[in-house]
Amino acid sequence: MKPQTADSILNPDALISKSSGSSIFGTIFSIIRFSTHDGPGIRTAVFLKGCPLRCWWCHNPENWQDLPSEVYQPERCIGCGVCIDNCPAGALSATPQGILAAPDLCRHCGRCVDVCPAEARERTSWKVAVPDLIEAVGKDTLFFDQSGGGVTFSGGEPLCQPEFLIAALKQCGELEIHRAVDTSGCADGRIVLNVARHTDLFLYDVKILDPVKHRTHTGMDNTGILSNLRMLSESGAAIIIRIPLVPGVNDDSESLARTGEFIAGLPRKHRVDLLPFHRGARGKYAKLGLNYAGEHLPPAPAERVAEAARQLTNFGLAVRTGG
Ligand code: SF4
Ligand code: SF4
């Protein structure tokens, strides 16, 4: 995914608190309209929170946790109390540490963010009900139809919210909206198969074949990820495989050979997209106070990317560079 302009981002405020009761809610951190980097055609990309992986090169570290969140920066707070007056849940109170929300009361509606005159509160995700989400993304069906696009559920890891994801996919299907799921494949195989029943295209990450290296650089084992991909391929699911090309991690000849051999050995042929690593997310880590494991990783040089593509092509794979 490439950075988007602010006006292409759908403000999820309009989605909040319309639906209630039996609606299935999910936690999202962004909805980007008119994306051309998240699958075929013009797409609306919906980014779900939560991810079991901790990839060194992750571009969205603010979404590792699956809870909605608002960030409070006390150094900016002028103590006006406007947020306290406007909180519908009565969750905010003045404390020696600043204006803090009681975790058991806060509904994560984001109202306090909107009313703060000092920008001392920042929203990093929202809760949204499936019907409200579908109503919002359905507004662009004309663009989807004309471009061969649709909706892409991404993350984070969208499989972390299976009930919400499946309900949203089903409703998109009823509206005949093309549905893509951008996933690391790190989930229970039964969830993957259930999601596949309502998905038109998977964008499936293959990062590192070596299990030890995979665990080192992502924090998780890759056995389930690879077996889920094989299972999906066997099931006949449409899949584009995405490889983040990270210098010093998976761009050496041996890693590429193992990756090429594995993909070529899947039950069906799948296109491969190479996504060269860049350090665009560095600023986010600093803002969140997180250690950026990708700090010492160099960006992927063009000639190395071209060479990696050539090596994978030698396995009979159709390879593209970029998403
Ligand atoms: S997010 Fe909503 S419920 Fe939570 S403290 Fe802010 S205004 Fe109150
Ligand atoms: S509205 Fe903003 S500036 Fe005013 S008390 Fe709340 S956080 Fe502080």
Side-chain angles (χ1 to χ4, degrees), residues 20-128:
S20 59
S22 60
S23 293
I24 296 172
F25 284 82
T27 307
I28 62 173
F29 62 89
S30 187
I31 303 176
I32 295 177
R33 301 169 73 192
F34 310 121
S35 169
T36 54
H37 305 289
D38 295 290
I42 295 173
R43 310 193 72 83
T44 294
V46 181
F47 295 86
L48 279 66
K49 273 203 97 186
C51 185
L53 301 179
R54 294 294 179 267
C55 302
W56 285 19
W57 51 90
C58 179
H59 283 185
N60 296 314
E62 69 275 36
N63 303 302
W64 287 339
Q65 305 300 327
D66 61 359
L67 294 170
S69 47
E70 298 80 29
V71 175
Y72 172 60
Q73 299 176 80
E75 67 280 5
R76 289 191 169 189
C77 179
I78 56 175
C80 65
V82 170
C83 55
I84 298 175
D85 295 342
N86 282 277
C87 173
L92 290 166
S93 59
T95 76
Q97 291 76 40
I99 314 296
L100 301 184
D104 53 334
L105 293 177
C106 176
R107 299 177 202 156
H108 302 289
C109 68
R111 179 86 183 121
C112 54
V113 175
D114 297 335
V115 299
C116 176
E119 297 185 354
R121 310 193 92 90
E122 185 184 348
R123 176 170 25 208
T124 58
S125 63
W126 297 259
K127 266 187 130 177
V128 58

Side-chain angles (χ1 to χ4, degrees), residues 138-159:
K139 287 175 181 159
D140 288 331
T141 49
L142 189 63
F143 299 105
F144 303 157
D145 293 344
Q146 286 177 346
S147 67
V151 175
T152 298
F153 293 92
S154 185
E157 171 48 68
L159 299 179

Side-chain angles (χ1 to χ4, degrees), residues 256-275:
L256 287 165
R258 276 185 83 168
T259 304
E261 198 176 355
F262 172 78
I263 296 172
L266 289 170
R268 294 171 64 252
K269 296 269 177 231
H270 305 289
R271 190 182 100 197
V272 173
D273 287 352
L274 270 183
L275 308 175

